[in-house]
Amino acid sequence: MVIVVKGTRKNPQVQELIDWIEQRNISVQATEGTQKTILGLVGDTSVLDIDTVKTFPVVEDVKRIQEPYKRANRKFHREDTVVEAGGVRLGGGNFQVIAGPCSVESEEQMCGIAREVQAAGARLLRGGAFKPRTSPYAFQGLKAEGIEYLTEAGQMCKMPIVTEIMSASDLELFHDVDIIQVGARNMQNFALLRELGKQSKPVLLKRGLANSLEELLMSAEYIMAGGNPNVILCERGIRTFETSTRNTLDISAVPVLKKLTHLPVVVDPSHASGHSALVEPLALAAVAAGADGLMIEVHNQPQKALCDGAQSLDCGQFAALMKKITALRALVTSFGAEEERV
Ligand code: PEP
Ligand code: MN
């Protein structure tokens, strides 16, 4: 961080600012001019709030040169993080597909889909039990019963399970869940993120509908600062002026995040597009861009799905897509694309 202040160290207010910074274990290198002094800060400046620095009357300008996130930052952790859940590794060259319905609807539905997606090559099983719906009158999920069916299906197929949490007060119901998902609408639910930082299960953190990548990384930082390093980031499309898709898939988020952070990055082409016909091209684009995995909604009868049927692949479509994903992954890794970070 660089701070431009009015006057020199002879000004007691400048010295007061320097003392305030040094009390936070940050050293200050001052370069004095005739009218101004430039303070170069060395140390962990993530603990400094720019707005607080600006409240000192001698401060003219403040610039952060280091990102405000530390634990998620690739500069301090060069190696890719590999997240392990129920014996399945994701990240650092371990590409995984998470598949399953938007919502858990019944035991038969969940077990049937689990068998199909596993046979097609998915290693992780998803299914929503707590559903964040825009309308309070829409299906809200089977909650505890849904987690039970998902757990049974996962155990039957030996697939680790991923499901969304909406409130920290439900955490005890997630005992058998392998990866806890934080949905787009809760990306900045800081109380929830803090609670997830206090436990050790991996967290799949989805990008908010209107959040920058820096905000996504700051949310990851909340979880990591609490002591849980097992965070997987998920790009799932953002709100733009475009209306022909449900959201706009920000494909550049993949290489940008891979440069900024060591955390694994997965892409959800289902929520990004809102249309089953668009899931395949977006999934393949994500693979080509270097994603560490995909999260894809699959339903045995998309027309009858209680949630997100229009964007769900049927089991046959999913199996066909998996073949293309496998072929494209082989090509991408043969190019060594993962090493060539921007
Ligand atoms: C989901 O994955 O079921 C979901 C609700 O996604 P998002 O939070 O990205 O909308
Ligand atoms: Mn959905």
Side-chain angles (χ1 to χ4, degrees):
M1 187 181 281
V2 171
I3 307 176
V4 181
V5 295
K6 295 171 208 143
T8 65
R9 290 186 93 137
K10 287 187 205 101
N11 178 349
Q13 288 188 330
V14 172
Q15 194 53 50
E16 189 195 329
L17 172 64
I18 293 173
D19 292 344
W20 181 83
I21 296 165
E22 286 178 342
Q23 277 158 18
R24 280 151 186 81
N25 284 330
I26 298 166
S27 58
V28 179
Q29 286 164 2
T31 311
E32 290 188 4
T34 47
Q35 312 284 318
K36 295 179 205 295
T37 300
I38 296 170
L39 306 179
L41 276 54
V42 184
D44 182 8
T45 56
S46 60
V47 298
L48 287 188
D49 175 33
I50 284 195
D51 288 336
T52 312
V53 174
K54 284 182 183 163
T55 61
F56 285 80
V58 283
V59 171
E60 232 176 57
D61 201 6
V62 188
K63 286 238 162 8
R64 229 182 232 297
I65 34 182
Q66 194 82 281
E67 297 79 10
Y69 47 89
K70 192 173 173 224
R71 289 171 175 81
N73 199 327
R74 197 183 274 283
K75 280 189 191 144
F76 306 112
H77 188 297
R78 303 300 307 171
E79 294 304 305
D80 284 344
T81 283
V82 177
V83 173
E84 191 171 333
V88 172
R89 290 155 70 84
L90 197 159
N94 302 284
F95 181 89
Q96 300 298 348
V97 176
I98 306 165
C102 178
S103 334
V104 181
E105 297 169 10
S106 69
E107 196 180 344
E108 302 71 54
Q109 172 242 22
M110 209 47 247
C111 290
I113 296 172
R115 276 192 212 98
E116 297 273 359
V117 296
Q118 188 201 35
R123 306 248 347 248
L124 294 140
L125 183 66
R126 67 152 282 152
F130 292 91
K131 294 306 305 173
R133 304 301 299 276
T134 303
S135 166
Y137 310 116
F139 175 59
Q140 305 285 307
L142 295 181
K143 305 187 173 74
E145 193 186 346
I147 294 188
E148 240 174 72
Y149 298 153
L150 178 64
T151 306
E152 275 170 40
Q155 281 172 355
M156 182 189 73
C157 292
K158 299 200 170 37
M159 293 172 87
I161 55 172
V162 184
T163 196
E164 178 168 352
I165 192 164
M166 284 173 56
S167 164
S169 60
D170 294 325
L171 203 47
E172 59 193 22
L173 298 172
F174 285 65
H175 185 262
D176 296 323
V177 171
D178 299 283
I179 300 180
I180 303 177
Q181 176 175 321
V182 173
R185 290 152 192 84
N186 271 313
M187 190 204 89
Q188 287 191 315
N189 180 341
F190 301 118
L192 177 60
L193 300 178
R194 277 204 192 281
E195 286 305 312
L196 295 175
K198 291 184 199 156
Q199 56 86 57
S200 60
K201 285 185 196 286
V203 177
L204 180 98
L205 179 65
K206 297 188 95 174
R207 181 181 184 180
L209 277 69
N211 285 112
S212 66
L213 295 177
E214 184 168 293
E215 287 166 339
L216 173 62
L217 290 166
M218 290 306 284
S219 290
E221 193 78 9
Y222 261 89
I223 300 166
M224 299 173 89
N228 182 0
N230 303 306
V231 181
I232 302 163
L233 304 172
C234 180
E235 161 60 36
R236 45 77 73 207
I238 47 173
R239 281 266 168 92
T240 68
F241 51 81
E242 182 53 66
T243 54
S244 54
T245 47
R246 183 175 180 183
N247 293 288
T248 298
L249 178 61
D250 178 9
I251 201 76
S252 56
V254 178
V256 172
L257 286 171
K258 299 289 291 176
K259 178 175 178 254
L260 296 176
T261 181
H262 49 88
L263 297 172
V265 179
V266 309
V267 170
D268 169 353
S270 308
H271 291 90
S273 67
H275 298 287
S276 58
L278 298 177
V279 170
E280 176 171 309
L282 297 190
L284 296 176
V287 173
D292 295 296
L294 291 164
M295 177 181 248
I296 300 176
E297 286 189 342
V298 181
H299 201 282
N300 50 350
Q301 291 177 295
Q303 306 80 354
K304 295 193 179 162
L306 295 182
C307 184
D308 287 351
Q311 68 193 34
S312 301
L313 298 185
D314 66 28
C315 299
Q317 289 167 330
F318 177 69
L321 172 57
M322 282 300 284
K323 290 207 174 90
K324 294 187 186 178
I325 289 170
T326 308
L328 185 57
R329 258 303 283 174
L331 198 63
V332 167
T333 48
S334 76
F335 287 156
E338 280 165 318
E339 272 70 53
E340 289 166 15
R341 293 196 185 95
V342 206

